[in-house]
Amino acid sequence: MILLLGGTSETGTIAEALADAGYSVLVSNCTDVSLDVGGGPAISLRTGALDLSGMLALTDDRGVTAIVDATHPYAVEVTQTARKVCEYSHLPYFRFERPGLSYDGDDIYLARTHADAAERTCSFDKPILLTIGAGNLEPYVDLAREKNLPLFARVLDFDKSLEKCDSLGMGKEFVIAARGPFTVEDNRDLIRKLDIGVLVTKDSGKEGGVGEKLEAARMENCRVVVIKRPVEIGTETFQTVEILVEAIKKDIDK
């Protein structure tokens, strides 16, 4: 049994590739967001967050022989937990990470942390659109409020996300609850409607809709601030499903 930590659009493709290679796959998704996990009797799904003890118990109960981490590039806590479980239980760990994009242009700025990104974003004194989810809004909201800058956040249309925005004092008129994928025109329309001068995004790759954001911002003369991915030290990452599956077969079947 392979435990596949999912949550991204590649999850189903990876699960089916592993099943086709002859493995039973348990897909674990932190939330109840609808997720394509592929089909077939060899693939099963569980939902809900796992802390260290929970993941250790799950791997033991289900006879897990390897963990494949295909979580979002910014899901640092889940990745750290998975690596600890593999270390404690002597299981092989495989990290799949979607490729990032190349960023160039005078109006694109890279930031290492959300605090740095908030400083850069607010330095332009323009209305701001955050497309980074609801988990890291605080530094932007605090600084924008201090500088009296209009700030909007596009977040998933879930109660947890909306409650987070509300807890930060964001009025409903400043919260766009929606679920992608968003086209270039979707993004352009929003930028124009809100008179956005700075768009903030994570480096979520092509599958994360970053390309459409960049193109929309370019066409609307809108600056972009990109939060760089966390650096994973000492971890080999696989960026194609084929190479990932081959590596798993070599390790598990040796």
Side-chain angles (χ1 to χ4, degrees), residues 26-166:
L26 173 61
V27 179
S28 179
N29 189 25
C30 283
T31 69
D32 57 1
V33 176
S34 178
L35 181 68
D36 176 16
V37 298
I43 303 173
S44 55
L45 171 68
R46 68 159 303 279
T47 58
L50 290 169
D51 58 12
L52 180 59
S53 61
M55 195 177 294
L56 281 168
L58 179 66
T59 56
D60 185 54
D61 292 344
R62 300 298 294 268
V64 169
T65 55
I67 293 180
V68 176
D69 180 1
T71 56
H72 195 279
Y74 295 84
V76 177
E77 290 186 12
V78 180
T79 292
Q80 290 175 342
T81 298
R83 293 180 67 175
K84 287 179 181 178
V85 167
C86 288
E87 180 182 349
Y88 295 162
S89 301
H90 305 289
L91 298 174
Y93 170 85
F94 301 91
R95 173 66 170 147
F96 177 87
E97 187 170 284
R98 58 174 57 158
L101 298 181
S102 297
Y103 299 97
D104 52 33
D106 294 337
D107 289 330
I108 299 177
Y109 305 85
L110 301 180
R112 176 61 65 188
T113 67
H114 285 285
D116 292 340
E119 289 282 352
R120 170 66 79 171
T121 298
C122 292
S123 71
F124 299 115
D125 293 325
K126 299 286 186 181
I128 299 161
L129 174 61
L130 302 179
T131 63
I132 58 173
N136 296 280
L137 298 176
E138 289 93 333
Y140 306 92
V141 172
D142 291 345
L143 196 53
R145 186 171 291 144
E146 180 183 315
K147 300 188 69 171
N148 198 30
L149 294 173
L151 180 142
F152 302 85
R154 185 170 69 190
V155 300
L156 287 172
D157 53 349
F158 294 125
D159 290 342
K160 186 176 180 180
S161 298
L162 300 178
E163 288 167 2
K164 180 61 179 292
C165 294
D166 184 63

